[in-house]
Amino acid sequence: MKRIVLALGGNALGDNLHEQMIAVKSAAKAIADLIEDGFDVIITHGNGPQVGMINLAMETAAKFDEHLFYIPMSVCVALSQGYIGYDIQNALREELLDRGVDKPVATIITQTLVDENDPAFADPSKPIGAYYPEDEAAEMIQRGYDMKEDAGRGWRRVVASPKPIGIVESKTVLALLEAGQIPVAVGGGGIPVKKTEGRHLKGTSAVVDKDFASAKLAEELNADMLVILTAVEKVAVNFGKPDQQWLSEMSAEDAERYIAEGHFAPGSMLPKVEAALEFVKSGPDRKALITMLSKARDGLAGKTGTVIH
Ligand code: ADP
Ligand code: MG
């Protein structure tokens, strides 16, 4: 029995409510295949468009009703975990029951511990939600938000993207797994919290990269493999250039060299390869696979995808 953390990328969830329901149904089929193959699966996922939508809805509501509060990013991430988890629970449970597999699927609202001294807090750079004209951006800066002008398209809110240092609910995830259930966890990278005086964990205005959070969870669960599912079947060097070359595997040393040579785009493939590396280096016999959802079964059978070892 192999324990695998499946990190679902944006294309497994779609960009809006309707797309999400359809995308999750087809994701459920691919995930059910892996469960039928005998893998112990933990599902994690991104939340970019969803947390943007929730944040915009909350901002708009607060603007029109003075009795409503502005909802912090940590709460928006929590809401997105619930909403996405609901769709996954609903679709995957149905797909499994259709196949005669009686395994419950449950979402764990997950907090991700970050270090308050993480250098990312000094340079918030992850754009969140809608574009705003300059006057509205100025008003948001007054309210304490960090805003950045985005290549002539308007102003966007930016938040810090600190590294995860621990997953608060990983023991709960493990308990579900050991009971033969399918956990959905660290959605959107988890709700970022930092330690304060005493035992209180305080939500922070930040977002954690879902690939790094998935790697941390995989590490804490002692998983065999971190499977990062995205829009491409394999990772390439010289991506998008005439001499592009798809990779079937790379050692940790290869990956470090390719990173230094700038083969992976920041904000898309780079965090995936970095997250894969963190997991692979966290213990012996730990491997990572980067491929697309529809190729996950073949990838796990060693037929495609890029294995980092
Ligand atoms: P996700 O939503 O799954 O996180 P992203 O769009 O953030 O997906 O990242 C995946 C994308 O990274 C691919 O679709 C591809 O366009 C891009 N990419 C950048 N560099 C590379 C590379 N070296 N090899 C493969 N894909 C790359
Ligand atoms: Mg991404």
Side-chain angles (χ1 to χ4, degrees):
M1 196 67 100
K2 268 201 165 179
R3 183 174 292 176
I4 60 176
V5 170
L6 281 186
L8 305 182
N11 60 329
L13 299 176
D15 278 342
N16 57 48
L17 245 84
H18 183 67
E19 274 181 30
Q20 180 172 312
M21 212 173 68
I22 294 168
V24 168
K25 276 206 171 108
S26 81
K29 290 194 197 317
I31 298 167
D33 285 344
L34 307 183
I35 294 164
E36 280 198 317
D37 286 348
F39 290 103
D40 279 340
V41 169
I42 303 101
I43 300 167
T44 69
H45 60 82
N47 73 347
Q50 294 82 3
V51 82
M53 175 189 88
I54 290 166
N55 188 239
L56 179 61
M58 293 302 180
E59 295 267 320
T60 310
K63 214 182 289 174
F64 286 105
D65 184 342
E66 59 185 296
H67 302 294
L68 290 178
F69 295 100
Y70 284 94
I71 304 290
M73 189 49 64
S74 49
V75 176
C76 292
V77 174
L79 292 170
S80 79
Q81 289 185 350
Y83 154 51
I84 296 168
Y86 153 53
D87 264 4
I88 296 175
Q89 285 176 201
N90 186 293
L92 184 55
R93 175 75 170 155
E94 179 180 338
E95 181 65 31
L96 289 171
L97 286 174
D98 281 350
R99 298 177 186 214
V101 180
D102 186 10
K103 270 179 178 284
V105 185
T107 301
I108 303 299
I109 300 300
T110 318
Q111 305 173 84
T112 298
L113 194 63
V114 299
D115 180 354
E116 64 176 329
N117 297 315
D118 191 303
F121 284 112
D123 177 31
S125 53
K126 172 87 185 162
I128 292 291
Y131 291 91
Y132 292 91
E134 196 168 351
D135 54 334
E136 273 187 62
E139 185 243 316
M140 291 167 82
I141 291 170
Q142 285 275 306
R143 235 194 296 132
Y145 287 179
D146 293 301
M147 303 291 292
K148 266 191 192 160
E149 216 273 330
D150 189 341
R153 287 182 292 183
W155 290 71
R156 276 181 104 183
R157 183 175 176 200
V158 286
V159 297
S161 187
K163 288 279 157 63
I165 55 173
I167 307 299
V168 179
E169 286 79 14
S170 59
K171 281 190 181 142
T172 310
V173 176
L174 188 62
L176 279 182
L177 209 55
E178 286 174 343
Q181 305 199 18
I182 298 151
V184 180
V186 297
I191 304 156
V193 293
K194 49 190 178 189
K195 280 202 168 117
T196 58
E197 302 272 305
R199 270 181 283 272
H200 179 60
L201 298 176
K202 188 178 179 351
T204 158
S205 257
V207 291
V208 178
D209 182 277
K210 73 105 175 36
D211 295 309
F212 285 117
S214 303
K216 183 55 77 183
L217 179 68
E219 182 187 329
E220 293 191 4
L221 295 176
N222 199 10
D224 299 294
M225 198 177 232
L226 169 65
V227 183
I228 298 179
L229 299 168
T230 184
V232 284
E233 186 168 339
K234 292 184 182 192
V235 180
V237 286
N238 302 313
F239 180 69
K241 297 188 185 141
D243 54 349
Q244 164 176 294
Q245 202 190 329
W246 299 108
L247 304 170
S248 301
E249 50 145 2
M250 50 180 155
S251 65
E253 298 75 53
D254 292 337
E256 275 162 358
R257 191 175 74 249
Y258 295 146
I259 288 172
E261 290 170 359
H263 287 286
F264 313 125
S268 63
M269 190 49 77
L270 181 61
K272 297 182 199 311
V273 176
E274 286 177 338
L277 254 180
E278 299 240 326
F279 176 65
V280 167
K281 287 165 62 178
S282 70
D285 300 321
R286 291 181 172 177
K287 288 184 181 147
L289 169 69
I290 300 177
T291 191
M292 56 210 281
L293 186 60
S294 59
K295 301 286 177 185
R297 194 177 217 174
D298 284 348
L300 283 160
K303 292 185 205 154
T304 188
T306 306
V307 173
I308 300 96
H309 56 88

